[in-house]
Every structure is written in structure tokens, then in C-alpha cells.
Amino acid sequence: MSRHSSALAALLLAGAAIAAGGAAQAQLLPSLPVGNLPVPLPDAVRGTPLVGELLRGLTPTERRAATVPSLDRLGVGPAVGDLGRETLAELRRLRLAELIRANPALLDVGSDGAPIRRGVLVAIDPTEAQLRAATSAGFTVETREDLGGLVSVVLKVPVRLSARAAMRRLAEVAPGLTADYDHVYEPAGGALLPGAGALLAAAAPPPMPVGKTIVMIDGGVAPHPSLAGASIVQQGFAGPAKATGHGTAVASLLVGRDGAFRGAAGGARLFVADVYGGSPAAGSASAIVRALAWASSKQPDAISISLVGPSNLLLQRAVALLARRQIRMAAAVGNDGPAAPIQYPAAYPGVTAVTAVDARDRALPEAGRAARLDYAAPGSDMAAALPGRGYAKVRGTSFATPLVAARLAATPSVQALEREVLRGKGRIGRGILCGTCRTDPKVVGAK
């Protein structure tokens, strides 16, 4: 291993060791495995593409610690901005491969290399004749849901067929049937963090305040002083809702109020759609689509979506359906750098694609590549709530997205929104929204 590779290995493992230290560190955990490096990267390893070679020399335990987001913390540290585009893309590939490897009973690999639910395909608006043909060929119906203008049928594939072989078989026996894999989506800014036990914030919400309604599609939300007076209703779409760090942080950026800490949509009623159930192997397209249908039923002023993944036919049609209903949606572009694939649902028409800026109004260098970039918002040098109590420094497009969603909910027209934008540096779309919505970590003692 080269000297440069050894230096990066030491830093990766140092970050992994901190992650293994548990909640005592009280920091949020990165979606990028090197996001919480304790020291700046040396010039010799900035931008190196040798991550794959480096990690192949680690033990399985070390490799997993360096590449898989921990369930103990979440967030992205500033050192990630020192990594080159090819290194970021390689880390993304390794992270997803390790997620699949660590969950063999739940996950498989789709044709594009992305994680998918093992043993199922999703049929979209199938005819009864097509379903009969599929069941005659050994497929069985797991669930069937009418999502209000969109029918989704999850089919269990015949035993011993891989996902790709099952897709070919389905096309043969049911010509013309629209089907896709059940892709799995990641939080666009960190791993899931179990909350205080299985508690959820505001299990019995106070009366709905006069104001706006926002839905966030994410992990569940834990109790926190900043959320004590908020109106929060939670619903699980991957089993019972379970509190997470990522969801708690995003919720606090929307409706949190606690001394100097202020969310961007204080007083709004918040509906939380938990598509993870506490598991990073959840977050499937079918769960997200059910969450979108539930969100639509709440007649929201905006939906905040801080998760990313590949294009999926079922998700694409669901998003288009909500867009036709003129429901405003904001989604993160991700944090895997400009060499990573374009991420969805941010790239779909009808969705406001969100990137992030730092305290100097500069686009974060690790922000994902976008097919279309609409707005930026603060996503670094800022505080968000930790489950239970306290605050942490956060970084990533996940944390910019709720700020943009808050402005979408509060602002009646595109023209009025455009009058709010501020200038910045780098790729920030039409400008920065909610530029004053950042809470300085020092003010609230964020760690």
C-alpha cells in the first residue's frame, strides 16, 4: 500500500473508530463514510481515487466500519469537501455494495447496481389478464394498493430466480406490463440514528395550530425540547414508526423552537412519513409511494423529501400524480459529488431540486450532480436537534431541503419565491432560499 493510501486508510479508520464510540461523541453521522474525519485531509491524499484499493486491504470488520453509515450517529463533516469527485463516487459505490452485502436476506442488486428489495418486483397499473399470466408463471401477489389514480402490485418472484431473471420472465409471460424493481433509497445526509428507546415525538399531538401543513418523508422523529410544543403526527410505512437521528434533525429544522434555536416553519403542523422503520435496508420505492399517497391525503402546503436513489417507474408516476395535483415537493440532490449518478426523486419534473451552501454561501463541493437544480439553502455550519436533547453540527443536502420546503409552504407563488433568493457561489440553481434560517452551532452548544 502506498504512503498516500496508508494516510487515507489511517484517516478512514480513525473516523470509523469515532463512529464506534457511540453516542458519547454526540455528533451526527455521515452518509459518506469519511464525513466525520477528525483532522483535515493532507494535501497528498486530497482527491485520490485509490479508496477501493485501500479498502480491499482492510479486514471485513474494518471495511464495514469505514464504508457503511453507522446507526449510532449521522451527519457529514467538513473534511468530505476535500475529497475529489472520483473518490466520492467510489465511496458511494462501496457504501451501497456493503449495504447489500450486510443485508443479504433483504437486499439484492438491480440492473443498475443499486440496492433493491430481494425477491419482489413491482407491477404498475396491471390488467387482470396480466396478473393472471404472472401468477400462472409462479409469481404471487404480496400486496395490491390503489394509490388514488395509480395501482401498485408487489409481486413475489418464483423461487430460485434472481431479480433480473424474474424481470425477463415477467416480460415474457405478461407482454406490455409495466414493472420495475423495488429500489431502496438512502437518507441524503446521514445514517439512521435510533432515538431514545422506541419513543416517538408528540405521540398525542396538541391541537392543530393555525398555519401551514408540511409532510416530511424520512425516518421517524424522537422527542426533543425543541419539538415539545410542535404538532407532529407520525405514520410508519416500513413497519411501526421508529425514532431516528436523521428524521429528528430534519423535523427540528422545520418546526423546532427552543431558545435561540428556530426551525424554518415554526407553527406549521408536521406529518412524518417514516419509510425506514429504523432499518437502513428499508426505504423502498413502494414504501415511499405509499407515504406520498398518505401525504397527498393531508392536503399539504409542501412535502420535504431528504432521501435519494435511482429512477424508479412507480415512484416517477406517483410524483407526477402529485405534481398534477399541484402539491409542492422539495427533494435533496444528495452528497456523493458531481461524478455520482443523478439522484431521484429530486430529478423528476414537478419536484424542486435542492442543494446546500455553507456559511459563506458557497455550494458544498460534495453536493450531488443534478439534472436540474432549482434552489440552494443552508446545509452546513448549522445546528439541528439530537434525539432526546442537545444539538449537533450537520452538513448535507438533507438539511437544506426542509428549509426550502418551508419556503415553498409559506410562499404562494413562484414570483414571490424568486424575490426572496439570495446570490451565492458555485452551482446553486436560481439562488439561496431561507438564507437566514441557519442556527449557529455555537449559540446552542452544538457538538
Side-chain angles (χ1 to χ4, degrees):
M1 188 179 292
S2 72
R3 178 174 61 83
H4 295 171
S5 298
S6 298
L8 183 53
L11 288 170
L12 281 168
L13 292 177
I18 288 176
Q25 297 294 330
Q27 287 187 346
L28 292 180
L29 185 195
S31 78
L32 292 166
V34 295
N36 58 340
L37 295 179
V39 294
L41 289 173
D43 291 338
V45 299
R46 291 173 189 253
T48 176
L50 300 176
V51 178
E53 176 187 342
L54 176 156
L55 292 177
R56 280 192 287 274
L58 304 181
T59 68
T61 299
E62 291 170 337
R63 178 187 175 94
R64 176 167 169 76
T67 57
V68 177
S70 168
L71 296 182
D72 292 330
R73 296 174 297 154
L74 65 121
V76 173
V80 75
D82 290 334
L83 299 178
R85 52 186 289 154
E86 297 304 326
T87 302
L88 288 168
E90 175 71 353
L91 286 170
R92 173 187 178 276
R93 185 189 68 77
L94 290 167
R95 185 181 71 247
L96 295 181
E98 198 66 12
L99 178 65
I100 295 167
R101 189 203 63 77
N103 296 276
L106 301 176
L107 301 179
D108 199 351
V109 184
S111 57
D112 52 4
I116 59 174
R117 282 183 63 208
R118 178 174 292 279
V120 300
L121 299 175
V122 181
I124 304 164
D125 289 327
T127 66
E128 291 303 320
Q130 288 170 332
L131 285 180
R132 285 196 298 271
T135 54
S136 295
F139 292 86
T140 58
V141 175
E142 180 182 86
T143 60
R144 176 173 182 157
E145 297 184 67
D146 189 335
L147 303 168
L150 176 65
V151 174
S152 167
V153 178
V154 177
L155 296 170
K156 291 185 178 179
V157 306
V159 177
R160 292 186 295 276
L161 279 187
S162 69
R164 281 176 271 190
M167 186 67 79
R168 292 193 295 270
R169 179 63 175 151
L170 189 60
E172 291 170 359
V173 301
L177 174 61
T178 300
D180 206 343
Y181 304 113
D182 200 2
H183 290 101
V184 169
Y185 291 70
E186 296 184 284
L192 302 174
L193 171 66
L199 296 176
L200 296 171
M208 178 178 174
V210 175
K212 302 294 183 178
T213 296
I214 297 176
V215 178
M216 57 172 270
I217 297 179
D218 207 294
V221 178
H224 189 271
S226 71
L227 301 173
S231 174
I232 301 177
V233 176
Q234 305 201 56
Q235 177 69 41
F237 294 90
K242 293 186 179 179
T244 68
H246 193 270
T248 304
V250 171
S252 72
L253 293 170
L254 283 166
V255 297
R257 281 182 179 271
D258 177 27
F261 183 86
R262 289 287 188 273
R269 186 175 188 185
L270 181 63
F271 289 90
V272 178
D274 176 9
V275 296
Y276 292 104
S279 170
S284 67
S286 58
I288 295 168
V289 169
R290 292 196 304 274
L292 285 171
W294 180 74
S296 178
S297 73
K298 306 305 176 187
Q299 299 181 322
D301 295 287
I303 300 176
S304 178
I305 309 172
S306 289
L307 49 83
V308 294
S311 186
N312 177 275
L313 291 174
L314 178 65
L315 181 58
Q316 181 180 14
R317 293 196 182 187
V319 165
L321 189 64
L322 265 65
R324 288 197 296 272
R325 295 174 182 169
Q326 299 185 325
I327 294 175
R328 304 171 100 178
M329 296 167 277
V333 299
N335 309 297
D336 289 325
I342 291 170
Q343 299 289 280
Y344 297 83
Y348 288 133
V351 177
T352 298
V354 180
T355 192
V357 295
D358 63 16
R360 297 183 180 180
D361 294 336
R362 301 173 301 186
L364 299 188
E366 72 273 18
R369 182 163 64 104
R372 180 201 70 260
L373 193 56
D374 294 304
Y375 297 106
S380 177
D381 308 305
M382 61 192 283
L386 283 166
R389 62 185 306 105
Y391 295 89
K393 300 173 185 177
V394 295
R395 179 180 174 112
T397 59
S398 267
F399 310 113
T401 300
L403 307 186
V404 171
R407 297 317 304 153
L408 291 178
T411 311
S413 69
V414 173
Q415 292 76 15
L417 203 64
E418 292 293 324
R419 289 194 290 270
E420 294 185 11
V421 298
L422 304 174
R423 293 181 180 180
K425 304 179 184 72
R427 297 189 66 249
I428 58 170
R430 296 198 286 273
I432 301 168
L433 289 176
C434 220
T436 60
C437 296
R438 174 189 285 108
T439 297
D440 187 331
K442 295 178 182 177
V443 173
V444 292
K447 299 178 181 179

